[in-house]
Structures are given as structure tokens and as C-alpha cells.
Amino acid sequence: MNNGDTLRKLLRDADAKGYAIPAFNFSDIWDFKAIVEAAEEEEAPIMIASNPLVVAELSPAICAGFGLAAMKQAKAPVILHLDHSFKTEMCKDCIDEGYPSVMIDASKYDLETNIAMVREVMDYAKENHVHVEAEIGKIKGKGIEGDFKGGDFLAAVEDAKALVEATHVDSLAVGIGSAHGFYQGKPELNFERLAQINAAIDTPLVLHGGTGIPKEDIQRAIKEGINKVNVGTIIHCTYMNNLRAELNRVGENPYTLDVMKAVYPKVKEVVKGWIRVCMANGKA
Ligand code: 13P
């Protein structure tokens, strides 16, 4: 089966069995390795996501190269994904390189423009069965994936319905109060709105801004209809903080592999914890 179709099947399975597919952001080959090994050891289906900054820096071809190799070799279902592309061109470039899943985030535009951009990517994705995620409402906070501080973040049920009816998009990220980056205070998720959107449409729903949301809230969101949970900040912060600690420990003239072999297992432990929070362990 093509990997886009595999993802559609995994999201349906997650919905039926009451867990979520976690999607982890990677920045290089070492956190990528940590994420894939965590999925294998937890026997979990996961998504491994490159954000547009990483794709722009490393190139769609290199990111696709990592992902295609992992999708072939890994002992668990691992699906490569382009996270939060604000441009249709990057979605197309990644599709050309073999990505099975892309996100077009046109949530900052009006509904009509959002629909038009999602349609454009859906049309391009069709031939290769590529899975497409869109966004309605807005993800709060400041992070690599965007910066939104306004009050009108909440996804409207009618907008979610209209976007899905007009585009038949495969999955939908919903603005329900979650934020990219670390939270200031306790996250306040609007579970009522989530349940309303879930009742109105059949499309798998995605929760962004996983870092910092307590386990109980993640699991409640899954119960109310979330099928995919995005986690980024805690991955790169764990990676970089442990890298600094290890470099300080070993002192001058370290060898890359020695340092990385000490650091990446720390990232793997965090990923495993999130797989369990999403209840995806043992679901491969
Ligand atoms: P965090 O960085 O807050 O975990 O969010 C990740 C995310 O939503 C990526 O799209």
C-alpha cells in the first residue's frame, strides 16, 4: 500500500481504538534516529515531521531521503510528513521528492483563500495519494511553526465544515487553544468546541502544540476526537540541552559520534514518553 493510504488507514485505526498518532518534529539525522528507534521499541505507528525551516535548510530531497529510508527499513509504521508549510510550492516540492504527507497551513488567510490553497495542494497530491492536512482556526504561541498572539484563535464549526466540504482534505488541525512552544501557565483547551467539530465532520482532527499539555488533557482531547498529536519543542530542547551538557562534560576536541551516541538516547526517552501519552504504544 502507498504510504499516504497507509496513513489514512492508521488515522482511522486510531479513531476506532481511541489513541492518537504522535507526529514528532526532527531537525537532523540524530533526532530523526531517536524518533524512529522510539517507535520501533514502543511498537507504535508514528509520523516524523520536518518543519519548513528544516526543509529549506537541508532541502526537500535530503529530508525525503531520510524519510523514505526510514519508511522502508523501520520495524514500525513511520510516515514522513511536511509540517506547517505556509506555501503551496514547498508542499509540491516535497510531494515531488516522495513525501507521503504534507500540511498546507493557510489558516492566516480568509476562509476562501484557505480553501483555494488547500485545493491547489490536494489537486497536486492526488496522483500519488499524498495525504494532506489543513488548518482551521489558529494555533497560538510563538514557535518555529508560526507566531500568533491574537484572541480569535478558536476554530468555527461552520468554517471547519465548509473547508472539508469544499476540499475533502484528509486531516484538519484545529485551533482550540493549544500553542506552539512552551506554555505560559496552564494550557486551556476548548474541549467543547473540539467535540462540536468532531460531531460535525468525519475528517481526522489534529492537535498542535503538544509540548507542555498535561497527559490528562491530551487523553481527553483524544477522547473528544483528536487522532494526531504534534510534538516539537520538547524534542529539540531535550536534544540541544543534552548536547550542551555532554559537550561540557567531555571538554575539548570531542568526536561527533561519541557525543551524539550519548545524546540521542535522551531524546528517544522523551519520544517514548509521548508515544505512551498518545496511547500509540503496541498499536503498530
Ligand atoms: P510544540 O512545539 O508546542 O510541541 O508543537 C509542535 C507542533 O504543533 C508542530 O506543528
Side-chain angles (χ1 to χ4, degrees), residues 23 25 49 51 83-84 103 133 139 143-145 178-183 207-212 228-236 274:
N25 289 112
N51 72 45
D83 191 26
H84 277 288
M103 175 184 192
E133 177 180 333
I139 312 303
I144 293 153
E145 300 85 5
S178 66
H180 289 131
F182 290 114
Y183 288 84
L207 181 66
H208 282 242
T211 300
K228 168 179 178 255
V229 176
N230 284 17
V231 182
T233 300
I234 196 64
I235 308 292
H236 58 253
W274 272 96

